[in-house]
Amino acid sequence: MPKSRTWGQDRVCLVAGLTSADQAGCGQALGGVGFSVVTASAGEAAVDALRRQPVAAVVLGAGMPHASATAVLRRAAQCHPPVPVVVVGTTVTVDEAVTMMQAGAADYLAPPLQVEVLLLRLRKLLDHAPEPATRDEVPPELQSYVGLVGSSPAIRSVLATLQRVARYGSNVLLLGESGTGKELVARALHRLGPRRQHLFVPINCATLGRDILENELFGHERGAFTGANERKKGLFELADGGTLFLDEIGEMDPSTQAKLLRVLERNEFRRVGGTEKVKVDLTVVAATNRNLQRAIDAGTFRSDLYYRLKVVTVVVPPLRERREDIPALVDFFIADFNRRHGDKIKGVAPHILKRFMEYGWPGNIRELKNAVESAAVLANGDTLDVDPLVDTAAPGATPAPARAAPPEVAADVREIRLPLDCSIADAEKALIVGAVDRHATLREAANALGIGLRTLHTKLRQYGIAPRRGRRRVAAPAA
């Protein structure tokens, strides 16, 4: 018997599949050294117990049906870290011991059960095993594996959710502000899930027009349109067996939404210009920074597609809700900068880190990454010592002098009045608002501004401009 009477304190031991007499004796012995004991009579209940709470060890009766015992052993091995399982045998034959050890048991005890021997074996196993994680605690090796940096409660909660849902391969809807790292979360889902050996295929639905987006998603047959000289596989086919990531799903045209819904319902589609049905088996992860419920109310997003996509919903937190992760993120971006440019930036000056911690980060992690790169480029030595946010209005910072008046768009949208002390950013925003309101389509607005459609979409998101659907062209006054 181990000398310490409290070595099991703050640990949970799951006891499953034992006879009532063995269960009582085992429970009393485990409780005597401090364990909290959870019991389960069947394999399904034991697997459920492993899912619900952190467990330090399992005592499993070999009298349980083989399929149930194997399910418990498999689930214990999937925990982070793996949970050691001691099997209590029902016969003195070697075959049973070999079968249980091959299935993943950490140790095997021949009958009859001797609780002193059981405690000695458990103590030895646990002395060489890391402590189990709490529900929202994620081991560092898992964080490095999936690429999500940070240890704040907000990001641990996201990672814990990913651990729970990834293995099912279900469709997932990611919600969060622009720049929070939704694509990184989608990639983490893929790497943690059963489709990790296949492709992860991303596409941004906001950067392509309807026809081009459908061609990218579904592919086309030879001769489907002018210039279609050969068959082209779409992203659905390329992602078959893997994961398709649909970023900015809220910007998808309603007609394309209907076609996407059909794929999700039937796991099949037709290429553009084709008649043959193409079967696919894949996971779809969609992301948006829009309120899809409002889009549904406005008639711009299909409710049936929404419910197909949100089998599981994960909200990615903004950076302002996980400020304690900023130092780790800064270190990560410095290392990335050094790797890409061959530099040797060693760290960040205390006053710059303080500035980073106090700033509001409306652009979230994407803005932080750009700020770190800017500071690295401007650094006077091997330390980030130049404030890259000097021209940025930070929440809580000293307010800038009040401007005489904001930019004003005239009623006919042909004239924009700008005060002399107007910033370039405000002037640009006013020009974009005027162009979007004046022209019938965003493409026409982009042409009028002399920029690309993709750049216009980026500017709209940057300034928080929501173009009104169904807008009408504003005619110029007669001469």
Side-chain angles (χ1 to χ4, degrees):
M1 177 76 69
K3 293 181 181 180
S4 171
R5 306 293 298 179
T6 58
W7 60 272
Q9 189 171 357
D10 298 325
R11 286 170 163 168
V12 175
C13 185
L14 172 62
V15 178
L18 298 184
T19 65
S20 55
D22 283 347
Q23 182 171 299
C26 184
Q28 184 176 1
L30 290 168
V33 294
F35 277 103
S36 296
V37 179
V38 176
T39 60
S41 58
E44 184 177 345
V47 170
D48 189 52
L50 284 167
R51 289 197 186 107
R52 286 198 317 267
Q53 61 194 319
V55 173
V58 177
V59 178
L60 184 67
M64 181 181 291
H66 180 71
S68 297
T70 302
V72 176
L73 288 164
R74 185 185 304 118
R75 176 58 194 168
Q78 291 173 345
C79 294
H80 295 283
V83 176
V85 180
V86 176
V87 174
V88 178
T90 59
T91 71
V92 293
T93 64
V94 176
D95 291 345
E96 185 180 74
V98 171
T99 299
M100 290 294 103
M101 297 297 283
Q102 287 179 338
D107 205 343
Y108 177 88
L109 301 181
L113 173 63
Q114 301 177 54
V115 293
E116 295 84 358
V117 176
L118 172 64
L119 292 180
L120 285 169
R121 299 284 183 87
L122 277 177
R123 180 71 180 269
K124 183 177 180 181
L125 287 171
L126 293 177
D127 281 348
H128 295 86
E131 288 295 319
T134 63
R135 274 190 79 127
D136 288 339
E137 184 179 351
V138 179
E141 62 270 19
L142 179 62
Q143 287 182 291
S144 61
Y145 174 69
V146 300
L148 294 177
V149 177
S151 58
S152 65
I155 201 63
R156 288 207 312 269
S157 177
V158 169
L159 267 168
T161 301
L162 298 187
Q163 285 181 266
R164 290 194 292 271
V165 306
R167 63 193 183 90
Y168 293 102
S170 301
N171 296 337
V172 176
L173 178 62
L174 304 178
L175 303 178
E177 298 175 10
S178 180
T180 51
K182 294 188 288 296
E183 181 171 342
L184 195 59
V185 172
R187 290 182 182 275
L189 272 168
H190 176 73
R191 295 194 71 182
L192 291 171
R195 301 182 185 274
R196 67 177 69 91
Q197 301 300 325
H198 298 273
L199 288 178
F200 175 89
V201 180
I203 184 170
N204 190 317
C205 302
T207 59
L208 303 172
R210 184 193 68 186
D211 293 339
I212 297 177
L213 178 60
E214 291 186 5
N215 187 43
E216 288 295 313
L217 289 174
F218 306 116
H220 61 254
E221 296 288 354
R222 180 179 180 181
F225 50 82
T226 303
N229 298 322
E230 58 184 17
R231 171 187 285 180
K232 173 189 173 182
K233 288 186 177 182
L235 299 185
F236 273 108
E237 285 183 85
L238 294 177
D240 188 22
T243 302
L244 178 63
F245 175 53
L246 300 173
D247 198 8
E248 303 291 357
I249 188 71
E251 309 301 324
M252 182 177 285
D253 185 270
S255 66
T256 309
Q257 292 177 30
K259 296 175 182 177
L260 172 60
L261 177 63
R262 184 180 181 87
V263 180
L264 296 180
E265 289 178 336
R266 304 191 180 186
N267 294 320
E268 65 182 26
F269 64 94
R270 292 184 177 91
R271 302 185 190 94
V272 176
T275 57
E276 177 187 353
K277 292 180 180 178
V278 181
K279 291 280 189 179
V280 289
D281 174 27
L282 73 168
T283 294
V284 173
V285 179
T288 182
N289 58 12
R290 293 185 60 189
N291 186 321
L292 290 186
Q293 191 58 59
R294 290 181 185 173
I296 292 170
D297 295 340
T300 59
F301 200 84
R302 297 179 62 107
S303 60
D304 45 6
L305 176 59
Y306 174 65
Y307 294 116
R308 276 283 178 179
L309 291 171
K310 65 168 301 221
V311 175
V312 177
T313 300
V314 177
V315 179
V316 185
L319 187 54
R320 63 181 175 275
E321 293 181 6
R322 42 178 298 211
R323 292 180 185 273
E324 55 267 58
D325 291 335
I326 289 176
L329 286 164
V330 169
D331 289 343
F332 177 82
F333 292 138
I334 287 175
D336 179 64
F337 179 85
N338 288 339
R339 177 184 57 80
R340 288 186 290 114
H341 299 284
D343 280 23
K344 296 182 179 179
I345 301 294
K346 295 181 179 178
V348 55
H351 71 283
I352 298 298
L353 183 59
K354 182 175 182 292
R355 173 81 158 125
F356 285 173
M357 295 294 290
E358 293 174 348
Y359 180 57
W361 301 110
N364 292 295
I365 294 176
R366 184 183 297 130
E367 185 181 6
L368 174 61
K369 179 180 180 180
N370 291 338
V372 170
E373 181 157 356
S374 174
V377 170
L378 298 173
N380 296 309
D382 60 4
T383 301
L384 305 188
D385 57 356
V386 177
D387 186 358
L389 304 174
V390 66
D391 294 325
T392 308
T398 303
R403 299 190 179 108
E408 180 181 343
V409 181
D412 65 358
V413 204
R414 296 183 68 246
E415 176 184 347
I416 297 176
R417 304 185 184 97
L418 301 173
L420 291 177
D421 58 352
C422 173
S423 71
I424 292 177
D426 284 345
E428 182 180 62
K429 180 177 179 180
L431 283 169
I432 290 172
V433 169
V436 168
D437 283 347
R438 176 172 175 76
H439 294 87
T441 67
L442 292 182
R443 186 175 298 280
E444 290 180 14
N447 291 338
L449 291 167
I451 60 177
L453 181 59
R454 183 172 183 173
T455 301
L456 178 57
H457 277 291
T458 301
K459 295 291 185 183
L460 292 175
R461 290 193 298 273
Q462 176 183 340
Y463 292 121
I465 303 169
R468 297 191 300 275
R469 292 187 178 272
R471 57 185 176 272
R472 300 172 62 188
R473 184 189 302 276
V474 180

